[in-house]
Amino acid sequence: MYVTIQAQDGFKLPCDCYLELQVGGSQQFAKFDQQCKFTLPSLLLGSSVQRGTIDIYQKVGTCDFSFQATGNENLTCNVTAEAPSMEGLRLRVDTEPQESPRQNSGLFDFCSASSFCTTDKINLLVNHSAITQGFKDISRMLVFTDVGEEVDDEAALWLCRQHLKSTPHVEVDVVFVTGYPLQRATRWAQILNSAGESLPKVRQINYYTGPQSDRHMRYRTFADVDELRAAGLDTFLSRPFEGGYYDVVLQLSPVWGFSSNFASPQAGTAGALAHIRPRPGSNCLLQIVVGGVGSTNFPRDDLHFGLQKALNEKGFRTVHVEKSNYLNWDKGMFETFPPKLVEIVLDDEWNKAVGRIPPFAANLLVRFRVNTNVNYDVVDRAYAAFEQDLRGTPSLVKAKQWWSEVRDEVEAKILHGYVKLSRDRDNKSSDVFGNHMVSEKIKGMKFSWESLMSRTCLLDVGAVLALQDGANLRRTVRADSAISLQMVDDILHLAVCEMTGKLLKIYAYNRYISGREPDMAQLAPYLDGTQDKAPLDFHTFPELHGDISSIQKEVVGNPMYDPAGMLVALIALGSNAQQIAEMSSKLDQKMALMDDQSRVAAMKAVYLGETQEQLVMRYADKSDVGKKRSTSNSATRMLVLTDVGDDADGEAALWLLSTYLAQMTDVDVDVVFTTGSPALRAMRWASVLNNAGLQNVQGQKSMHYFVGVESCAEMKYFIKLDENELNRAGMRDLSESFFDGGAYNIIIQASPIEGFSGNFTDPPSGPEGALARLSAAPGKSGRPMYIVVGDEGTTNFPRDDLHRSFRDFLVKQGFSPVHANQKSYAHWGLDLLLYLPPTLVKLVLQDEWRKAVGRVPPSKASLFARFRVNTYDNYEVLDAAYRSFVHTNKTDTNFQKALAWWSRFSGEVKQCVIDSYITASRESDNMGTVFGNPAIKCQISGRQSTWRSTMSDSCVRDILASTQMTENQLLALTVDEVMSLAVTQITGKLLQIYAFHCFDAKMTPSKTLCLAYVSGSSENPPLDFYQFPRLFGDLSTVKKQVVGNPMYDTSAALLALCLMTGTTEQCRLLTEKVTSQTPWLTPAERTSILCAAFRGESLPNIIDKMCCLQETTMTVNF
């Protein structure tokens, strides 16, 4: 076939342009003078549709040289430069004879010169040595992947990507297969996008879509074209896989959906497997399958055996990468991973830890081994690290006490649930193992049951037996006698109970640390199982809130299947024929290619970008000091007192400061972490910095970190102190960097100051008395400012002597106090997320979602606040999220199931809302500032508006539609009646989303969990986000729709930056507007200004926008 390429519309190209045409595994190169013509050999045209790439290069220099074809020479060539920047360039050219000449010649592989282009074109490139791209042979690999099952596929693709950065002569075609390929590709795109703009592009990877199949995706991700486009995978949408030429075919997944007819293949994607061909000239033709015959990736069916036969007939050799070449996850590999990949690895490993192998899965031997060895050690390691960090803390003490109280109940559930089902399964099996003493040899084996147990399990079970009196488990011997006299089911029961106890103590601690109580009702689906899930299934384990990555990292250690296969494939691509033969022989014999330690070292090295030559050699050989406060006298100085770690707004405020400090050379910011355990509060911010790349956050050079005084306040979410993480974030020795006062131009109080001394006359030494050692620094813009986030009486400024005395003290020091209150708050919006690093976006979505699913506790705030939030603020946010969810899924059968489920369940939920939330709300109002329970048409006590006027239009619309009322009938309802209807509507939208995700995961929604969420308990309020049933799959689309809560700290940070850099007149004007009751920014202006700030627009421009607005349109919401 001839391909002619020419410039259209008379476009004049610069001189000395060259064009490269890539089709399949071939590359052709020619001088491009408005037009050129290529010939494609017929062997490249295996399928009806071919795709190609055209690159245009411009020559920058030329030199001539001559050499002996049979000898060694070292030449120096002077380049005749086409560009002034290349003047003076000289090239060294070394030649040596090749022992076995290649059949092909770089750019002109697969064909003769006459079939490719004219002799003149070859002479041009050889004799004149045009300086463009190196002309090496391109090795090509095909990868079939089912991203979205276990996280192995994602880690394998990242390994490949890291390797290709240093291996330009390898191309990889990635085909997403089974289920819905678009969803699988979106999950991979999310990982790439989480790496941020610093992620280098890798041009050698091409992405294709395989055929759809009915396979369910374990971690379902909703298809997102914008996500694909942002990751550079937009061409994937129009690139169905139709075959090609390859050296290696790597199978990380089954290939269901393709046709098994290889003799007369179907047209298009379905028949693509028949069009996989060997790359001409390749010395490495391998089909590499992860797992043996009969495993997940190679089922015993006609399709997979047919593919193997077809490839073997074309010269490919099939090898299987199995257990001997697997390696286990290692935390050291995470250093190069994008944030999203680390997150899903930890989630996947955690799910394996909390979920027991189903009692009906595999056989009794496998269940016994996994529960007493593999899983047991993983759970023990996680709990040991957890307990070591928290031993003696009040919440852990309470968690252990709780476990001692419920232990008997839990053990009984496991005995009559998991163990009984396991016994029933074994009894019905065609290969019954029976319930013998563990000292006996296993039927058909040469070893005993006891020999399978890990040392840790043996010690723990022995300790339990030593405490028992012989009455449990039908024992007839003393408990301190040998374990070997116990029965298989008894030991299985003890091992599973010990694992479960450790996990449930972590769960209980997580609840106590947040001021909640562990709830056995919430644990019932996990312990008992459900209609769809076996007992102790990871899907039903309650969600843990906060940063549990430190615990999750301790369970890291399961096998890496697909990355091991990818490692073998990458070695093969760089190996010679003899090495390939040796490698294949070892794999056939199930031998390890490298020892365990070398395998792990090689994997880490490739993740770090090791070259192909270095990687192959491995196989061949082995078959900042903490930041200190600035001492500059000329710098403008800001102090930030913050309790970050409870809400992403705090981290967003610090990110905004970092953004602007990068462009401000004369400003220093001291950040003091306060309340609770201050160093622990820094951890979330440290993770944001580290995942963004500290070197990329230039403003950090002007930010200095200190810790305040510890207090009894506990963080909302669990997180573990990690000194290494703090060190990487530039906060070395933070735990010892105590704040001791200083002189400042601006002070932002974004937290309460409990723990500090209230003695400002004779303060104590050390950090306790630091606030009394604050003073005003000379300012460039008038009087220094003291900005409090929130009014007096709010969280950051309680009505107590400490906070009032602190304000009075600062006033005496010359500071002007300003409260950034409701009028001054901006609100989260999706546009803002575009300018935040991926880890911070994740925190924002996580926090916003939890605010959305949790109602205002009936004992908090006032009846008026609860009514307004439930019928307006929260309602609007959740309604938008629900409408987006419906729009995306309205044609999905699982959505129809969710609607039908809610229709049957709604009456029960409505009554539960009245009995729990509304009743508790009424009791709280009767005991506090009594608003009463009037009709909503009445005026609110102490206000000029009616209850009806506070409701959103969408809330009224939904209530009228669901009750078939008229507007007049609605007006006659009482406050409590309307709030119950509104809360039921909100709850219904949330539970429909939950039900959809259950049905999508092949589960039945749990009414038990739903009612536990709605009802609460004696210690946990109704409709608390901690009790909301756990969701699985990709929730990012829904979570983005609930973004909209106030940005308290961030609004104050923007105000402080403006006051710090504005003129005296601008600062005066801004201060007047903040303290005024007159609105001075519309919502549109507010959004525009805050987006401009986050993308780094100059502060003078920001200040001008705020100060130059007309008085008639102003509000103090930045």
Side-chain angles (χ1 to χ4, degrees):
M1 175 176 287
Y2 297 106
V3 177
T4 302
I5 302 171
Q6 58 187 331
Q8 284 192 343
D9 304 324
F11 188 91
K12 297 297 182 183
L13 292 164
C15 297
D16 292 322
C17 281
Y18 293 82
L19 184 145
E20 180 187 44
L21 172 65
Q22 300 181 44
V23 176
S26 76
Q27 290 177 300
Q28 304 183 41
F29 200 86
K31 195 172 192 316
F32 189 26
D33 186 11
Q34 308 305 316
Q35 176 178 316
C36 61
K37 185 175 183 178
F38 297 99
T39 302
L40 295 181
S42 59
L43 60 85
L44 290 175
L45 305 176
S47 61
S48 59
V49 179
Q50 288 290 329
R51 300 187 182 279
T53 300
I54 299 172
D55 288 323
I56 302 175
Y57 302 90
Q58 187 171 8
K59 186 172 73 175
V60 297
T62 303
C63 62
D64 296 318
F65 68 99
S66 60
F67 59 94
Q68 295 294 326
T70 58
N72 295 350
E73 295 202 43
N74 305 112
L75 309 170
T76 299
C77 306
N78 294 318
V79 175
T80 302
E82 305 287 340
S85 61
M86 292 294 171
E87 292 290 346
L89 173 63
R90 304 174 72 197
L91 298 181
R92 174 172 171 166
V93 181
D94 296 333
T95 67
E96 59 179 320
Q98 189 173 3
E99 293 182 4
S100 55
R102 298 180 61 90
Q103 295 179 349
N104 310 308
S105 179
L107 202 60
F108 310 104
D109 278 355
F110 325 149
C111 56
S112 65
S114 61
S115 67
F116 234 136
C117 50
T118 67
T119 302
D120 290 341
K121 290 175 181 173
I122 295 177
N123 290 337
L124 172 70
L125 297 176
V126 174
N127 292 339
H128 294 283
S129 184
I131 302 172
T132 56
Q133 175 181 332
F135 306 141
K136 291 189 177 181
D137 288 346
I138 301 296
S139 298
R140 307 194 73 246
M141 177 166 64
L142 172 64
V143 179
F144 291 110
T145 176
D146 56 357
V147 165
E149 297 307 313
E150 294 186 357
V151 75
D152 287 38
D153 288 77
E154 292 87 331
L157 292 184
W158 184 254
L159 183 75
C160 178
R161 197 180 190 284
Q162 291 292 93
H163 185 65
L164 292 185
K165 291 193 299 185
S166 61
T167 313
H169 55 280
V170 171
E171 287 184 353
V172 176
D173 288 353
V174 176
V175 184
F176 297 98
V177 296
T178 76
Y180 292 90
L182 189 60
Q183 294 179 350
R184 299 192 184 278
T186 299
R187 180 169 164 96
W188 175 238
Q190 290 175 343
I191 292 172
L192 295 179
N193 291 334
S194 75
E197 296 180 357
S198 60
L199 183 69
K201 295 186 181 301
V202 177
R203 295 183 56 199
Q204 306 105 287
I205 302 183
N206 306 298
Y207 297 100
Y208 298 88
T209 174
Q212 292 186 9
S213 74
D214 58 1
R215 186 186 185 195
H216 182 261
M217 186 172 172
R218 183 181 188 189
Y219 294 117
R220 184 180 178 187
T221 303
F222 290 108
D224 189 332
V225 175
D226 292 334
E227 197 84 52
L228 292 168
R229 185 175 294 113
L233 272 66
D234 45 329
T235 56
F236 159 87
L237 299 171
S238 58
R239 296 176 81 171
F241 177 66
E242 295 179 337
Y245 291 83
Y246 303 98
D247 302 75
V248 172
V249 177
L250 176 59
Q251 203 173 310
L252 305 180
S253 71
V255 291
W256 292 315
F258 289 101
S259 169
S260 59
N261 186 343
F262 293 90
S264 302
Q266 299 178 30
T269 305
L273 297 184
H275 299 300
I276 298 173
R277 296 182 172 86
R279 183 180 68 83
S282 173
N283 63 355
C284 166
L285 293 177
L286 288 177
Q287 178 197 16
I288 302 176
V289 182
V290 177
V293 175
S295 65
T296 301
N297 294 337
F298 201 105
R300 299 178 183 273
D301 58 26
D302 292 342
L303 171 60
H304 291 83
F305 282 123
L307 173 60
Q308 177 182 349
K309 180 181 178 182
L311 292 177
N312 292 164
E313 290 174 349
K314 295 174 183 177
F316 289 88
R317 179 172 179 174
T318 301
V319 295
H320 293 265
V321 178
E322 299 183 68
K323 183 178 179 180
S324 59
N325 283 289
Y326 295 152
L327 66 164
N328 293 342
W329 281 105
D330 186 291
K331 290 177 283 187
M333 298 173 186
F334 293 172
E335 294 180 6
T336 68
F337 285 11
K340 182 70 174 180
L341 183 52
V342 175
E343 175 191 339
I344 64 176
V345 169
L346 294 181
D347 285 345
D348 190 60
E349 291 286 280
W350 176 250
N351 289 338
K352 292 174 183 175
V354 302
R356 303 284 64 80
I357 180 173
F360 45 75
N363 57 39
L364 179 63
L365 170 62
V366 173
R367 293 193 294 275
F368 186 88
R369 177 178 56 80
V370 170
N371 282 314
T372 63
N373 191 311
V374 181
N375 276 181
Y376 196 96
D377 285 353
V378 167
V379 173
D380 179 74
R381 187 168 61 244
Y383 180 75
F386 167 79
E387 187 180 37
Q388 180 179 358
D389 291 329
L390 300 166
R391 186 178 290 115
T393 60
S395 293
L396 183 56
V397 171
K398 291 168 69 176
K400 290 182 176 181
Q401 177 61 36
W402 171 83
W403 168 243
S404 69
E405 295 169 358
V406 302
R407 178 170 188 146
D408 289 346
E409 181 182 355
V410 171
E411 288 183 348
K413 285 177 177 288
I414 292 174
L415 178 63
H416 300 297
Y418 186 90
V419 176
K420 183 179 184 299
L421 288 172
S422 173
R423 169 53 38 217
D424 292 344
R425 178 71 174 186
D426 184 55
N427 291 339
K428 295 176 182 177
S429 173
S430 59
D431 187 20
V432 181
F433 284 94
N435 186 23
H436 305 283
M437 286 193 296
V438 294
S439 58
E440 297 181 16
K441 287 185 178 179
I442 304 169
K443 186 178 71 172
M445 306 291 176
K446 296 181 179 180
F447 47 86
S448 68
W449 295 92
E450 186 178 1
S451 68
L452 295 176
M453 299 171 66
S454 74
R455 178 171 176 77
T456 303
C457 184
L458 284 167
L459 291 173
D460 286 353
V461 170
V464 173
L465 292 174
L467 295 174
Q468 292 179 343
D469 61 4
N472 291 336
L473 301 177
R474 305 179 306 280
R475 291 189 180 83
T476 59
V477 296
R478 287 182 54 82
D480 57 358
S481 63
I483 290 176
S484 58
L485 298 179
Q486 310 305 316
M487 310 302 288
V488 168
D489 285 0
D490 291 345
I491 294 299
L492 177 65
H493 177 228
L494 286 173
V496 172
C497 286
E498 285 299 296
M499 278 191 291
T500 305
K502 292 171 182 179
L503 292 168
L504 294 190
K505 280 183 275 189
I506 295 174
Y507 155 77
Y509 172 86
N510 189 261
R511 292 303 185 262
Y512 283 126
I513 194 79
S514 63
R516 275 82 172 177
E517 292 273 341
D519 189 346
M520 284 297 291
Q522 191 177 28
L523 292 169
Y526 176 65
L527 297 172
D528 300 331
T530 66
Q531 178 181 339
D532 312 285
K533 298 297 177 183
L536 307 177
D537 184 276
F538 82 87
H539 285 92
T540 52
F541 190 83
E543 182 177 4
L544 300 186
H545 296 277
D547 180 6
I548 63 167
S549 60
S550 57
I551 300 174
Q552 290 177 321
K553 286 179 182 177
E554 298 303 329
V555 303
V556 169
N558 287 292
M560 301 175 72
Y561 305 102
D562 294 342
M566 180 65 74
L567 184 66
V568 172
L570 296 177
I571 293 173
L573 284 170
S575 299
N576 58 38
Q578 181 180 350
Q579 291 170 328
I580 293 294
E582 292 175 353
M583 180 185 301
S584 300
S585 178
K586 287 185 176 181
L587 291 172
D588 287 343
Q589 299 175 58
K590 297 180 171 51
M591 295 174 59
L593 301 182
M594 290 184 278
D595 60 66
D596 292 348
Q597 189 174 5
S598 299
R599 208 155 51 237
V600 172
M603 184 74 76
K604 289 182 178 179
V606 177
Y607 273 128
L608 291 170
E610 184 172 81
T611 65
Q612 188 178 72
E613 291 76 12
Q614 293 170 317
L615 174 60
V616 173
M617 189 63 67
R618 286 178 181 273
Y619 166 67
D621 288 345
K622 297 187 180 291
S623 298
D624 188 344
V625 179
K627 296 185 176 184
K628 302 300 180 184
R629 182 186 286 123
S630 169
T631 57
S632 171
N633 292 325
S634 60
T636 302
R637 306 192 62 245
M638 180 191 297
L639 171 66
V640 180
L641 302 171
T642 177
D643 57 357
V644 295
D646 279 345
D647 195 303
D649 176 46
E651 287 84 358
L654 296 183
W655 185 260
L656 182 67
L657 291 174
S658 294
T659 300
Y660 277 110
L661 289 177
Q663 55 183 265
M664 301 166 73
T665 58
D666 59 345
V667 174
D668 281 298
V669 175
D670 288 351
V671 177
V672 181
F673 300 105
T674 62
T675 74
S677 177
L680 206 56
R681 293 200 174 275
M683 286 303 305
R684 288 216 315 186
W685 176 236
S687 70
V688 171
L689 292 176
N690 290 334
N691 288 320
L694 183 61
Q695 69 280 4
N696 300 322
V697 190
Q698 297 298 318
Q700 285 300 292
K701 296 176 181 177
S702 301
M703 295 183 76
H704 321 288
Y705 298 96
F706 303 89
V707 291
V709 186
E710 290 197 9
S711 73
C712 60
E714 292 185 318
M715 289 178 62
K716 184 185 298 183
Y717 306 124
F718 169 78
I719 194 169
K720 178 182 175 182
L721 183 65
D722 187 337
E723 295 288 354
N724 291 329
E725 188 87 353
L726 293 174
N727 292 346
R728 288 176 55 212
M731 290 181 264
R732 186 179 299 277
D733 301 324
L734 176 67
S735 298
E736 304 300 322
S737 301
F738 297 107
F739 180 61
D740 197 36
Y744 299 95
N745 305 91
I746 299 258
I747 295 176
I748 300 178
Q749 185 186 323
S751 72
I753 53 174
E754 59 187 57
F756 289 100
S757 171
N759 187 342
F760 294 93
T761 304
D762 185 20
S765 58
E768 289 80 5
L771 298 185
R773 289 185 282 277
L774 293 173
S775 60
K780 302 177 181 179
S781 303
R783 195 173 179 183
M785 302 297 297
Y786 165 50
I787 302 173
V788 181
V789 181
D791 283 320
E792 182 173 348
T794 59
T795 302
N796 293 336
F797 202 101
R799 300 180 188 274
D800 59 26
D801 291 341
L802 172 61
H803 291 79
R804 288 170 173 166
S805 297
F806 179 49
R807 180 177 58 190
D808 294 342
F809 170 77
L810 290 180
V811 170
K812 291 179 181 178
Q813 297 297 314
F815 288 87
S816 295
V818 173
H819 286 267
N821 54 24
Q822 187 67 37
K823 306 188 314 301
S824 305
Y825 298 148
H827 289 250
W828 283 110
L830 291 181
D831 291 344
L832 299 177
L833 302 185
L834 300 175
Y835 309 108
L836 301 181
T839 302
L840 184 49
V841 172
K842 174 193 168 186
L843 293 176
V844 171
L845 295 180
Q846 169 186 292
D847 290 348
E848 291 288 281
W849 174 250
R850 287 169 180 169
K851 291 174 185 175
V853 301
R855 303 282 65 75
V856 179
S859 61
K860 300 292 185 181
S862 64
L863 175 66
F864 167 69
R866 291 192 295 276
F867 186 88
R868 187 200 56 192
V869 169
N870 284 318
T871 63
Y872 188 89
D873 296 341
N874 276 181
Y875 203 100
E876 285 290 287
V877 170
L878 277 169
D879 182 64
Y882 179 75
R883 283 188 281 111
S884 173
F885 166 76
V886 172
H887 177 75
T888 304
N889 300 290
K890 58 187 175 184
T891 59
D892 195 312
T893 55
N894 291 319
F895 176 66
Q896 302 305 320
K897 291 180 181 178
L899 287 179
W901 175 84
W902 170 246
S903 178
R904 296 190 300 269
F905 189 39
S906 59
E908 194 171 349
V909 170
K910 178 181 178 181
Q911 188 59 50
C912 195
V913 167
I914 295 172
D915 294 341
S916 56
Y917 189 87
I918 301 301
T919 298
S921 171
R922 171 54 38 219
E923 292 173 353
S924 177
D925 182 57
N926 291 339
M927 292 186 295
T929 303
V930 180
F931 282 90
N933 190 24
I936 63 168
K937 63 184 177 182
C938 298
Q939 184 173 312
I940 304 169
S941 176
R943 299 178 180 271
Q944 300 299 314
S945 55
T946 65
W947 294 91
R948 167 62 180 86
S949 67
T950 65
M951 299 173 65
S952 74
D953 292 340
S954 56
C955 178
V956 173
R957 177 201 65 212
D958 288 348
I959 290 176
L960 294 178
S962 65
T963 61
Q964 301 297 307
M965 289 183 181
T966 64
E967 174 73 22
N968 287 335
Q969 289 173 320
L970 175 65
L971 290 172
L973 294 182
T974 66
V975 168
D976 288 356
E977 288 172 333
V978 171
M979 188 160 65
S980 73
L981 292 172
V983 171
T984 301
Q985 287 292 320
I986 293 177
T987 306
K989 295 174 194 289
L990 289 168
L991 293 185
Q992 286 173 59
I993 294 173
Y994 158 72
F996 170 85
H997 281 269
C998 285
F999 288 124
D1000 188 61
K1002 311 302 182 187
M1003 297 170 57
T1004 300
S1006 171
K1007 289 187 177 181
T1008 301
L1009 289 180
C1010 293
L1011 292 176
Y1013 162 64
V1014 178
S1015 301
S1017 65
S1018 59
E1019 297 295 333
N1020 302 322
L1023 300 169
D1024 182 59
F1025 80 83
Y1026 266 82
Q1027 298 293 105
F1028 190 78
R1030 186 180 180 188
L1031 301 184
F1032 290 89
D1034 177 32
L1035 300 176
S1036 58
T1037 302
V1038 176
K1039 287 182 177 180
K1040 286 178 182 177
Q1041 297 302 322
V1042 301
V1043 169
N1045 286 288
M1047 302 176 71
Y1048 309 99
D1049 299 356
T1050 312
S1051 302
L1054 181 59
L1055 173 62
L1057 287 167
C1058 293
L1059 292 174
M1060 181 176 278
T1061 56
T1063 65
T1064 301
E1065 178 59 23
Q1066 287 173 330
C1067 291
R1068 182 194 64 78
L1069 182 59
L1070 285 174
T1071 303
E1072 286 181 358
K1073 294 182 183 301
V1074 171
T1075 56
S1076 169
Q1077 298 299 314
T1078 306
W1080 57 286
L1081 280 181
T1082 66
E1085 291 163 345
R1086 179 167 67 244
T1087 300
S1088 174
I1089 290 176
L1090 196 57
C1091 284
F1094 268 109
R1095 66 172 175 261
E1097 187 170 320
S1098 69
L1099 277 173
N1101 286 350
I1102 296 292
I1103 297 171
D1104 285 344
K1105 287 180 178 180
M1106 291 197 294
C1107 291
C1108 296
L1109 295 172
Q1110 297 298 319
E1111 291 290 340
T1112 56
T1113 64
M1114 291 184 175
T1115 187
V1116 191
N1117 300 330
F1118 300 128

